[in-house]
Amino acid sequence: MTDDKHLKDTFQSEKGIHTDFIEKMTYGDYLQLDTLLSSQKGLSNHHDEMLFIIIHHVSELWLKLTIHEIQGAIAAIQRNDLQASFKMLARVSNIQDQMIQAWDVLSTLTPAEYMEFRDKLGNASGFQSYQYRLVEFVLGYKTPFILDIYEKQPEIHDTLEKAYQSPGLYDVAIETLARKGFPINESLLNRDVSKTYVKDASVEQAWLTIYKNVDQYWELYQLGEKLVDIEYSFQQWRFKHMKTVERVIGHKTGTGGSSGVGYLKKVLDHYFFPELWDIRTKM
């Protein structure tokens, strides 16, 4: 029996398979595949521009899900449902694994190939990704100048502004420490959450106590480790981003005007949850 005949017979033996979709929703309808798959519109005739566009489309979709999950985790932590937040935060870590691996695909683009269509990008750059900035905002890293980029796009600006003015993931984690009885500085609990978090001795002591008494504070210990998982993967993502850019364009200035590799190296040193890293030295 040929493979084609075997497949045909297998298909025909599945009596319940639906084939009449004249008045029914299909897989493509549900996912709006016509819209999704027609969005890869290159500006050059170069073969590898498709790779460049799809990698960035996929990354933006993963960023959208990352934001959705972190915002869900924030809400769960605020209502003291830590177990629900753990599932969402674990999902974020798995999403990050996918995003890290995507750099390996993009790194198959050689410098010579990229130069064939790079000038078509103009000043467009991943630096302008508002979803990436939203991820930073929901994690607690607030950079006000980013809002200026989107002044001509009111809907995006309002979305960013809302996240900018709202507590980030670490803010609600610290509030949980206080709610569980740890003596967190009052000024920290009432701080302006639109400012980037600066590490605090009372938070460090709380995490140190939790990590030295894991059985007593098991849920809070899990929360701490879920945050470390996300930060660890985020740093890996940043590093792979930086090395991919270096591999493809070296130390050229980015299309958006940044210093490129130089800028990406600087942000590697930033921590969202600093005390959770500092206590490892002090345990």
Side-chain angles (χ1 to χ4, degrees):
M1 184 183 294
T2 65
D3 287 344
D4 286 348
K5 187 175 187 307
H6 175 70
L7 289 172
K8 182 179 179 181
D9 290 346
T10 300
F11 181 80
Q12 290 178 337
S13 70
E14 293 291 327
K15 304 300 184 183
I17 291 178
H18 296 285
T19 57
D20 180 4
F21 288 96
I22 293 175
E23 296 182 359
K24 297 175 185 176
M25 180 177 68
T26 66
Y27 170 83
D29 295 334
Y30 175 68
L31 295 177
Q32 299 185 52
L33 288 181
D34 286 347
T35 300
L36 181 65
L37 298 179
S38 63
S39 297
Q40 293 74 45
K41 302 185 190 308
L43 298 177
S44 74
N45 292 319
H46 197 276
H47 174 82
D48 295 304
E49 191 178 3
M50 181 66 76
L51 160 68
F52 190 79
I53 293 172
I54 287 179
I55 285 292
H56 288 85
H57 274 173
V58 170
S59 294
E60 289 293 332
L61 287 171
W62 282 131
L63 287 172
K64 183 173 185 175
L65 185 55
T66 296
I67 294 159
H68 175 72
E69 297 297 339
I70 294 176
Q71 288 177 332
I74 288 172
I77 293 169
Q78 286 177 318
R79 64 176 183 266
N80 203 33
D81 189 356
L82 296 186
Q83 290 300 321
S85 76
F86 296 159
K87 175 66 179 293
M88 298 170 195
L89 296 176
R91 184 174 289 161
V92 170
S93 294
N94 281 288
I95 293 167
Q96 290 175 305
D97 288 343
Q98 298 298 314
M99 294 182 69
I100 290 167
Q101 292 302 314
W103 291 122
D104 290 336
V105 182
L106 186 59
S107 68
T108 64
L109 182 68
T110 69
E113 290 163 346
Y114 183 44
M115 287 305 111
E116 290 290 325
F117 62 87
R118 186 180 190 239
D119 64 321
K120 300 292 186 183
L121 304 181
N123 295 127
S125 166
F127 184 84
Q128 297 144 15
S129 167
Y130 80 89
Q131 288 202 124
Y132 176 78
R133 299 306 170 182
L134 262 177
V135 170
E136 290 188 328
F137 284 6
V138 296
L139 289 177
Y141 182 51
K142 308 292 180 70
T143 45
F145 73 90
I146 291 299
L147 295 172
D148 297 339
I149 298 173
Y150 304 99
E151 284 184 347
K152 291 184 178 181
Q153 297 170 281
E155 189 173 338
I156 293 175
H157 188 276
D158 289 348
T159 299
L160 284 165
E161 180 71 31
K162 182 179 179 181
Y164 183 74
Q165 299 293 345
S166 299
L169 180 59
Y170 202 41
D171 293 315
V172 298
I174 291 170
E175 288 170 3
T176 299
L177 297 181
R179 193 165 59 243
K180 298 293 185 180
F182 289 93
I184 304 299
N185 285 339
E186 196 67 29
S187 60
L188 187 62
L189 297 174
N190 296 313
R191 76 184 190 88
D192 180 357
V193 295
S194 71
K195 307 296 183 186
T196 295
Y197 177 78
V198 178
K199 61 184 178 180
D200 181 270
S202 67
V203 174
E204 180 178 290
Q205 186 56 52
W207 285 122
L208 194 56
T209 300
I210 291 164
Y211 273 69
K212 285 183 175 179
N213 300 275
V214 172
D215 292 340
Q216 184 179 352
Y217 301 109
W218 175 245
E219 271 203 328
L220 294 177
Y221 171 73
Q222 284 183 291
L223 176 59
E225 283 299 282
K226 287 291 186 289
L227 297 181
V228 169
D229 286 343
I230 288 174
E231 178 124 62
Y232 181 72
S233 294
F234 203 93
Q235 291 287 59
Q236 288 184 308
W237 183 88
R238 281 173 162 169
F239 180 78
K240 288 291 284 285
H241 183 188
M242 182 267 293
K243 295 307 291 185
T244 302
V245 171
E246 185 176 21
R247 176 172 178 161
V248 178
I249 68 167
H251 290 263
K252 291 184 178 71
T253 300
T255 51
S258 75
S259 58
V261 169
Y263 170 80
L264 296 173
K265 282 184 177 179
K266 289 176 186 175
V267 298
L268 279 174
D269 293 330
H270 174 261
Y271 287 92
F272 295 106
F273 320 125
E275 295 89 352
L276 282 166
W277 296 93
D278 290 345
I279 62 168
R280 281 155 164 76
T281 305
K282 299 180 179 181
M283 287 182 67

